[in-house]
Each structure stands twice: as structure tokens, then as C-alpha cells.
Amino acid sequence: MLKINRDDNRPIWQQLLDQAIHNITTGKWPPGELLLPSRELAQLVGVSRSTIQIVYEELYSRGYTVTSRRGGTRVSDWTYRPPSSETASPQGPLQPELPMLNTTVGHLQTWLRGKENTHAFIDFSPHEPYLDDHFHKLWRQSFVQATAEPDLAHWAYGNAYGFVPLREQIQRYLSLTRGVHVHIDQIVLTSGAQHSIDLIAQALLHEGETVSVEDPGFPAAWMAMKYRRMQVAPVPIDEHGLQVDRIHPQSKLVYVTPSHQCATGVIMSEPRRQQLLHLAAQRPFWIIEDDYDSEFRYRGEPLPTLFSQLPKNTLYMMSFSKLVAPGIRISAIVGPKAAICQIARVQELLYRHLPIMEQVTLAHFIEHGHFIRHMRRVRNVYRRRHEAMTKMISATGLGQRFTLSGVETGLHMLLEAEASFDEEAVANQALKHGVRVYPLSTYCLESKRKGWVLGFAKVDEAAIEEGIYRLSEMLL
């Protein structure tokens, strides 16, 4: 029997229709059952005949019923199929099968190690910069001022290369600080290092080609290449940086972090740099120069870039993740015009362009001097924390028991152990004592080197001293 709920906001015909469909689909009204004539049902329910006629018309139009002059209105014989015990599925409708993802997706999660679920009191993260309320105030100020003018053009489709004023600011910054002198058409903006590497792989390489990467090195770099089905060849790292003579002879690209090696922190020596540049020009192949934290140098002047010496073969990558904040997701690729044009065309096809408001805000942030002042301030912070880290490692005796490297530049350093050392057990034990350290093995492809990558950017001096002390208590 159909019923009306006067407190229901739905129209009466909709209430009756929903009940009728439920009765049919659940088998309460089985296939072939004759429904009451509309006049008779209207009297039973207490509504007008026209309301019941609307319900019957909707049931017919949706295929739940069939009608004939002599047979009246009946439930369709194909509408309801009671599930057998063998075919019944508690999950409901079937879902298309999900393909197996490339195994590198799982490797990336292993590298990240479920950080969001870890509550370490002292986190020596090598991936995050120092941020505070002062930065947030300046960024918010830039956002408000940059978006105050009602420029509706900002809300239209943008340039695949990136926001022109921001590329102009990056052009000036690179010229003044890194000796990289380019036209803005040699700069394309991307959403972080992984996005940059992915675009380069799609635009400049063919599937199955060989690329050489540092080992140990930046895991996301070789993972992105593997996901694009490139043949990834690891190249060992020693105290002078990338061992150039170990580069795979068929490499079409070599990824390198020469100013501060991603995992070990070593600086690529000048002879190795010249050897790499000569080899790249001779074969030839592309060099990806990832210059992600070279701005933070504690001894001497910033090192010259590979790009400034071999601009035709080098793709220079910079990112604002360490310079400003990872959350803004803005980085840049600098390279030859033809290569950058090709990368921008792929970007336009797949992503169109980056979100505009972050670009507008960052352009204002740089143009009005906030960026330079921010850099000057955080350099002082990092210098103090770098000094606290190195002093404490020496004072506790960790520097005598293990090899410390990567202390000249950047936001992390390496405390290296012997190859037989169980670094994973130490990392897990440290976590139980409220200290998070990052095993070197998670940065390795084939290398068997062991140790811990220790970042200090987001840890204050007191926490650094306490964390290193706790680590020394476990290791010594």
C-alpha cells in the first residue's frame, strides 16, 4: 500500500513514485503483477486521480511497467531479477577493474615512509625548509596586494610557459645570483621537481631510452623516469661527486645535483664537472642540473652552474620549495629555446598551465623585495642550525665513529656508517625515542651505502642538540 507523509517536503507524486519503484525493484511487486486502476488507487491513497496518473506515466516512461487496453498496467517482466545465492554480491554494482600501477609508485611511498602518520618530537627532515609567522604575514600581504587590482585577464587561460612577470623576476634573480643569463622564453614554470622531470621525459626522450642518475640520489627523479618506462642506469657517487666514467654509454640524459648532492651532500669537483660537460658535448646527451638548495652555502662563494658553461646541452632546474615553501608548488626549467618550447607544448597539452594566483603572488613577493629579505633571514637561521648540528655531532663523538659529509652547502648532511650497519633498526629505535632520521638506503638504487640523512632546516638549535644527543646514546 502506498502512503503519503505530510511532513515530507517532496511533492506527493514524487513520494508515491519512489515507493512504487522501491516495491518493483525489491520484488514486492513481482514481474507481471497487475496494478490497481488509477481511479481505484487514488481513492485508497486519498489523492486525486491525476496524481496517480502522473505516477503511472513515470513508471511506464522509465520502463518499470507495460500497459495495454485490455490488460491494464502490469510490472515489466524483466525489471526484477532476484539474485541467486551464487551470484549475490554484497558490494553492489560491479566496478571496472583497476590496472596494476607501476611498482615505482609503491617505492615512492616507501621513501616517504608514511610521514603523515609519524609523530616524532624531533624530525630531522631533509625535505622541508624553515617557515614561520613572519613569512606567512609577508606572503599574505603579497597575495592581497597582487590580487587587489581587478585584472580579469588573470582568470583566463594562461601562458603554458608560465606567468610572464614571474618569469621576468626569475630571469633577473638567476642573472644576479647564479650567473645564468637567459631570455624569458628559455624559462618554463612547473609544479615542482617531479613535474619538471616528468615533462622533460615526455618532451625530450623516447620510451625505453636510457637515463643515468646518481646512486644514491634523489629517489623521485629516477622513480619519475621509471614510471615513464625509461631504462634507469645508476651511477655511483664518491667523495668527488658523480663518477662520470661510470655513466651508461647509451645514456640520452644524465640527472645530477652538482652543487650539493641530494643524498650524500658532497660537492661535485671541478675536474668531474669538466669531464661531464665534455662527455655531454661529445656523445651528446642532456644534463639535468638540479640546483635545489645551492643558495645555502656556508663556506665560500656559490659554485658556478653547469648550465652557464654548456647551455646547449643542459636543463637547469630550480625550485621554490626550499627557497620559499613546498606548498606553493612552483619551480622552473631553464634551457635552450627549442627544448623549452617543446616542454611548454607538452605542458599545454597535458596541464594547460599552472594555477595563476600562486604565480601572481610569487611575482609580487619577489618584485617588492620580500623574497630577498626572506632569504637573508633564513640564511642566518640555517647558519645557526648548521653550526649547532656540526658541533653537537663532534661533541658527542658521532663524528669520530661515523663519517660526516655534506657540511659545506644545503639543508642536510650525511652521517655515514659501514655497509654492514643496520640503519633501519636504528631509525626505528630512534623513532621510539621521539627522533626521526632518514636512512640512506632509501635514496639508493643499487648502492649498498648506509647511514642517515639529517636535515636541520625546520629544527631549532635546542631540538638539534637534544636529537643528536639521543642518537649518540643509541649508536655509541
Side-chain angles (χ1 to χ4, degrees), residues 143-206:
F143 174 77
V144 171
Q145 294 177 358
T147 57
E149 295 294 328
D151 189 349
L152 295 180
H154 288 163
W155 297 101
Y157 287 114
N159 192 322
Y161 282 83
F163 187 49
V164 171
L166 178 53
R167 286 190 288 139
E168 290 174 343
Q169 292 301 323
I170 291 173
Q171 176 195 39
R172 295 189 188 101
Y173 174 75
L174 291 176
S175 179
L176 290 171
T177 64
R178 301 299 287 126
V180 173
H181 309 289
V182 293
H183 189 271
I184 65 167
D185 285 347
Q186 292 179 256
I187 302 173
V188 61
L189 303 183
T190 66
S191 181
Q194 287 157 266
H195 183 203
S196 296
I197 294 165
D198 186 53
L199 283 175
I200 290 169
Q202 293 185 76
L204 304 183
L205 299 173
H206 294 99

Side-chain angles (χ1 to χ4, degrees), residues 32 35 119 200 202 225 234 246 290 312 352 357 383 403 409 412 421 425:
L35 303 186
H119 303 286
I200 290 169
Q202 293 185 76
M225 289 293 185
R246 302 281 295 276
D290 191 343
K312 290 185 178 181
R352 200 60 182 258
M357 285 302 121
R383 194 177 299 278
T403 303
T409 305
H412 75 268
F421 210 92

Side-chain angles (χ1 to χ4, degrees), residues 275-285 310 313:
Q275 185 183 6
L276 176 62
L277 294 171
H278 176 74
L279 192 63
Q282 186 181 47
R283 284 190 179 174
F285 53 73
L310 191 65
N313 294 61

Side-chain angles (χ1 to χ4, degrees), residues 214 256-261 266-268 273 289-290 303 306:
E214 299 170 320
V256 64
T257 52
S259 295
H260 185 237
Q261 206 274 326
V266 300
I267 297 171
M268 194 173 184
R273 289 167 178 257
E289 179 183 12
D290 191 343
L303 299 170
L306 299 176

